Amino acid sequence: MANYDRDVHIDPDELYGRHAGSARRVSDREAVNWLNIRRSWQAYLLLLPVFALLLLFNYYPPVLGLVRAFYDWAPLKKPVFVGLQNFADYLFYYPESAREFTNIAKFLVYSMFAHVGMPFVMAELIYSVRKPAIKEFYRFLVVLPMLVPQLVALLLWRHMYDPAFGPINALLEVVGMGTLTRNWLGDPKTALYAVMMVNFPWVATVGTLICLGGLSQISDSIVDACLLDGCTGL
């Protein structure tokens, strides 16, 4: 043990020099980062309006709603801080709270399936296509809906659900299932599920492209090794 202690020796100059070198490298990296920012100031300037709009319309409303949840307030009325009283009233005294929690749970399951599951399935199907030209064509078809504004899509689905002139009820009448026609968005039994069916088959363009980009990073050697090992499609 004594021999071991005698052999261990740390040169203070070497130690301080090592720290000085690390500090110098950190300083150099920070200088390079600021240099890149100064070189790309036009890009940052162009991004400022985008982030300003995001803060105003995407982040400010939910933060404001969360803050006001702790107050008793109304328009033209001075807010009064009540702490968790609003939450207690909603959980224990509001008669619709149980049904609303159930609807939220249903919508959560639907969102996971529609916005995560289906884009991944579509990305897997496109990735499995071996002919590059056909694969690019399918990728183009996935991106094509981005050209249609979401407002137009919502108006189209609203027309489809129209109880008097909508094609869904008209189709049910034609095939002899007129007893199933109804006001899809006005009936409490079907309104939630009608909203869930909007944008069917739920091939979210951005989600599909993200999953497809991740799959495309998998090396061909890994795929070939899986095939040689007898892996099935799933």
Side-chain angles (χ1 to χ4, degrees):
M1 190 69 183
N3 293 333
Y4 177 77
D5 292 339
R6 190 180 303 115
D7 293 336
V8 175
H9 175 69
I10 298 178
D11 188 358
D13 295 335
E14 180 184 352
L15 180 61
Y16 294 143
R18 190 184 311 159
H19 286 304
S22 301
R24 192 181 305 111
R25 286 193 295 270
V26 171
S27 178
D28 292 341
R29 282 199 300 268
E30 292 177 351
V32 171
N33 290 336
W34 279 111
L35 181 61
N36 292 334
I37 292 175
R38 286 197 297 270
R39 288 176 177 174
S40 308
W41 66 270
Q42 298 95 336
Y44 289 99
L45 187 63
L46 292 174
L47 286 173
L48 279 178
V50 176
F51 284 103
L53 294 175
L54 282 175
L55 289 173
L56 181 61
F57 295 106
N58 287 57
Y59 300 119
Y60 174 70
V63 171
L64 180 63
L66 178 62
V67 171
R68 287 186 172 177
F70 298 95
Y71 288 83
D72 178 17
W73 71 278
L76 304 179
K77 178 183 176 182
K78 184 179 180 180
V80 179
F81 182 77
V82 294
L84 298 177
Q85 186 61 43
N86 290 330
F87 297 93
D89 292 342
Y90 178 78
L91 290 175
F92 301 110
Y93 302 108
Y94 187 60
E96 301 295 334
S97 58
R99 188 174 68 178
E100 290 181 356
F101 272 109
T102 302
N103 290 340
I104 290 174
K106 292 179 181 178
F107 210 82
L108 177 63
V109 174
Y110 148 77
S111 298
M112 292 295 295
F113 174 76
H115 301 299
V116 179
M118 286 302 295
F120 179 74
V121 171
M122 178 58 66
E124 279 280 5
L125 293 176
I126 296 176
Y127 176 74
S128 300
V129 177
R130 291 305 174 190
K131 195 170 183 179
I134 299 178
K135 180 181 292 189
E136 291 299 327
F137 176 71
Y138 283 138
R139 186 181 301 176
F140 167 75
L141 292 181
V142 169
V143 177
L144 193 61
M146 292 185 67
L147 302 178
V148 180
Q150 184 65 20
L151 180 60
V152 176
L154 293 177
L155 291 175
L156 179 62
W157 277 94
R158 182 180 178 183
H159 169 69
M160 293 177 63
Y161 285 134
D162 189 283
F165 307 104
I168 295 179
N169 282 348
L171 179 63
L172 291 175
E173 291 282 358
V174 170
V175 298
M177 304 175 66
T179 55
L180 297 179
T181 61
R182 63 190 65 212
N183 184 358
W184 298 97
L185 295 175
D187 189 342
K189 296 180 180 180
T190 60
L192 179 65
Y193 303 103
V195 172
M196 290 180 180
M197 288 300 296
V198 171
N199 292 329
F200 178 83
W202 310 300
V203 181
T205 300
V206 177
T208 302
L209 292 179
I210 291 175
C211 294
L212 191 58
L215 291 171
S216 64
Q217 298 300 313
I218 299 176
S219 174
D220 292 338
S221 61
I222 296 179
V223 178
D224 295 337
C226 292
L227 294 176
L228 290 175
D229 290 339
C231 295
T232 62
L234 294 178

